[in-house]
Amino acid sequence: MTAQALAAEFEVSVRTIYRDVDELSAADVPIYGDRGPNGGFELLDGYRTKLTGLSPAEAATLFLAGLPGPAAELGLADMLTTAQLKLTAALPEGARAAAARISMRFHLDPVGWFRGVDDARFLPMIAEAVWKEAAITIRYRRDAGPVSRTAHPLGLVLKGGVCFERPVDFDLAAFWTKASRAYEVGLYHGTAKLRVSPRGLILLDQLGSPLAQMVREQARMTDAQGWVSVRVPIERADWAARDLIRFGAEIEVLEPAELRLRLFDLARDLSQLYAARAPSS
């Protein structure tokens, strides 16, 4: 069909037809044009789309799953754009409109407040190793010096050689759920008993929602000043001290004694530092 005939059929301008044809071609839809008095645009014989029966909600979900942030970090931004273009071209009008609203209403910003973007320049290489089932060598710094490790990447989760055999029953999503929970639990090697002021209960959100929720669930009995005593999991005493000192006098550590001593040392060092520079009265 000619551009003029297509424009009349779909009740759009000829320019819109040319633009749509360009976009379909860019999405690898086999459409081509012939010049001449009998020419026009034609779809390759036998071409069919298999994307049939998608509801507007299902189409929107697919677009939401392809948010651009992680794809860009993995070096897949161009492929994501092409895939979405193909999907858009294959959708019925109603589903297409619902899918288009996703890009206008949702944006993924994985960077925390007041933080910079993490250095992700190695993610595309790691993603390629995952796809090709190739081993990778990682070299990183530790207190004792540089350490090298050879890893067999079974999958890559974003919260980016020598061949190896992939386990047949490996389930990435199930493994990550189990491993991440085990990692979180394994970080905590002890507990601390805290005395927390009413304002301190609010400030504890800075330590993360799960820990703050744990504290609020325990915060039932208060003393005469409205303070509560709670127990929280901690890693090492020195790390916990650095986390808790930010709350100043709104939180008092009752135990363990090692953590109280660490906080005392930090507070003493701060006092000495600022006392030396304090203006004379």
Side-chain angles (χ1 to χ4, degrees), residues 240-277:
R242 296 191 188 100
D243 283 335
L244 293 174
I245 198 170
R246 76 176 82 168
F247 303 110
E250 303 297 334
I251 292 179
E252 178 189 3
V253 173
L254 302 178
E255 54 185 59
E258 180 186 5
L259 180 53
R260 285 181 61 90
L261 180 60
R262 292 282 186 178
L263 280 166
F264 175 82
D265 290 340
L266 287 175
R268 180 197 59 205
D269 293 343
L270 283 171
S271 177
Q272 292 175 351
L273 174 64
Y274 287 99
R277 300 172 181 264

Side-chain angles (χ1 to χ4, degrees), residues 70 73 108 110-111 118 123 156-160 176 180-181 183-184 210:
E73 290 187 352
L108 175 64
V111 183
D118 291 335
L123 268 180
L156 180 60
V157 177
L158 295 180
K159 183 185 161 157
W176 176 250
S180 59
R181 296 295 178 271
Y183 173 74
E184 291 173 350

Side-chain angles (χ1 to χ4, degrees), residues 7-271:
E9 174 71 22
F10 294 107
E11 299 181 352
V12 297
S13 68
V14 174
R15 175 178 291 185
T16 297
I17 293 297
Y18 283 125
R19 185 176 64 248
D20 289 348
V21 167
D22 288 341
E23 291 182 356
L24 288 169
S25 297
D28 290 336
V29 176
I31 188 172
Y32 59 92
D34 283 334
R35 297 183 181 275
N38 297 320
F41 294 110
E42 187 172 353
L43 189 66
L44 184 68
D45 287 342
Y47 176 79
R48 295 289 185 275
T49 175
K50 296 181 180 179
L51 293 172
T52 57
L54 278 178
S55 69
E58 291 168 341
T61 300
L62 290 178
F63 275 79
L64 186 60
L67 288 168
E73 290 187 352
L74 290 170
L76 303 175
D78 291 342
M79 285 183 280
L80 173 64
T81 300
T82 302
Q84 289 180 337
L85 201 57
K86 290 179 180 179
L87 177 58
T88 301
L91 291 174
E93 186 61 34
R96 189 182 309 172
R101 286 196 292 269
I102 287 292
S103 61
M104 295 186 290
R105 288 166 169 77
F106 293 94
H107 172 68
L108 175 64
D109 181 8
V111 183
W113 291 108
F114 310 109
R115 295 177 181 270
V117 179
D118 291 335
D119 185 357
R121 65 184 184 275
F122 296 118
L123 268 180
M125 303 178 205
I126 299 174
E128 184 178 7
V130 171
W131 185 251
K132 295 181 177 180
E133 298 185 346
I136 57 175
T137 300
I138 303 172
R139 189 170 184 268
Y140 57 95
R141 297 187 185 92
R142 298 188 66 177
D143 294 341
V147 176
S148 294
R149 294 284 187 270
T150 297
H152 296 166
L154 299 173
L156 180 60
V157 177
L158 295 180
K159 183 185 161 157
V162 179
C163 297
F164 62 94
E165 185 176 353
R166 182 185 182 85
V168 176
D169 58 349
F170 179 74
D171 185 326
L172 176 59
F175 172 82
W176 176 250
T177 299
K178 181 179 179 180
S180 59
R181 296 295 178 271
Y183 173 74
E184 291 173 350
V185 173
L187 283 177
Y188 301 114
H189 303 292
T191 59
K193 185 177 181 181
L194 310 178
R195 184 170 172 263
V196 186
S197 73
R199 184 168 182 269
L201 287 175
I202 299 174
L203 296 176
L204 274 174
D205 278 332
Q206 299 176 25
L207 293 180
S209 297
L211 186 58
Q213 180 64 28
M214 182 186 303
V215 170
R216 281 192 286 268
E217 289 174 354
Q218 300 177 55
R220 295 189 181 91
M221 301 296 294
T222 60
D223 59 20
Q225 290 77 38
W227 289 51
V228 297
S229 295
V230 297
R231 288 191 175 275
V232 296
I234 61 171
E235 299 178 54
R236 292 181 358 195
D238 52 345
W239 294 347
R242 296 191 188 100
D243 283 335
L244 293 174
I245 198 170
R246 76 176 82 168
F247 303 110
E250 303 297 334
I251 292 179
E252 178 189 3
V253 173
L254 302 178
E255 54 185 59
E258 180 186 5
L259 180 53
R260 285 181 61 90
L261 180 60
R262 292 282 186 178
L263 280 166
F264 175 82
D265 290 340
L266 287 175
R268 180 197 59 205
D269 293 343
L270 283 171
S271 177

